[in-house]
Amino acid sequence: TQGHEFKLSEQVGKIVLLFFGYTYCPDVCPATISDMRWDFDRLGEDAEKVIFGFISVDPARDTPEVLENYLKRHNANFYGLWAEPERLDQIKTSYGVYAEKDSEDPENYLITHTARVFLVDTEGILRTNYSFGTFPEEILSDIEFLLEKQE
């Protein structure tokens, strides 16, 4: 939604949190975004050193504009990341992410998907990932540890 390709290799020096989800998700995705918003609110000025990227697993409905509007309601600095289906499949595979529609109806469907937040450190190394339901305080603690280590 920033108008250019997002590359992890260009984010060196920042901590990156990645989540695969979709804007029509009724539960897991909004809860995860709420947790990320909680963490970013507590980071204060250090939030500038952290990126949250929401990678849509529903490119048909989640256009870049839809993603941008959805994320702005939570935090204007969150990145909405969109890819063509073929490229998205490659990205999902590289992270071991599963996502599948529950219906062939092109308008009304849910997507069963991996619900994990991936943490990439300031050197571009995938450090860990968090399952759905991990307390945001735990994620915040890891972010703060990595930020302190960077100083």
Side-chain angles (χ1 to χ4, degrees), residues 2 6 14-15 31 35 51 71 80 82 87 90 107 116 139 145:
Q2 305 295 321
F6 180 90
K14 294 197 175 212
I15 293 170
D35 287 349
I51 293 172
L71 292 170
W82 183 91
R87 179 70 178 122
Q90 294 170 349
E107 297 296 322
R116 302 188 84 69
I139 298 172
F145 172 79

Side-chain angles (χ1 to χ4, degrees), residues 11-125:
Q11 310 312 317
V12 173
K14 294 197 175 212
I15 293 170
V16 179
L17 298 158
L18 297 172
F19 179 75
F20 292 80
Y22 67 112
T23 64
Y24 288 80
C25 181
D27 45 27
V28 172
C29 299
T32 300
I33 290 171
S34 178
D35 287 349
M36 293 297 100
R37 183 178 63 220
W38 188 92
D39 283 341
F40 273 70
D41 288 348
R42 275 140 192 87
L43 283 169
E45 290 181 13
D46 282 340
E48 295 174 4
K49 302 172 187 171
V50 183
I51 293 172
F52 174 68
F54 183 94
I55 304 168
S56 175
V57 296
D58 188 9
R61 294 185 296 186
D62 287 347
T63 64
E65 181 179 84
V66 168
L67 275 170
E68 182 178 22
N69 290 333
Y70 179 76
L71 292 170
K72 274 186 181 176
R73 293 190 306 239
H74 301 282
N75 183 313
N77 295 318
F78 286 176
Y79 283 69
L81 304 173
W82 183 91
E84 293 287 346
E86 300 79 28
R87 179 70 178 122
L88 178 61
D89 286 343
Q90 294 170 349
I91 296 166
K92 290 186 314 190
T93 298
S94 67
Y95 283 89
V97 169
Y98 169 84
E100 186 175 322
K101 294 180 186 177
D102 71 352
S103 167
E104 293 303 316
D105 183 329
E107 297 296 322
N108 298 307
Y109 56 87
L110 296 174
I111 298 177
T112 301
H113 63 93
T114 301
R116 302 188 84 69
V117 174
F118 297 86
L119 183 137
V120 179
D121 71 14
T122 58
E123 297 174 16
I125 298 169

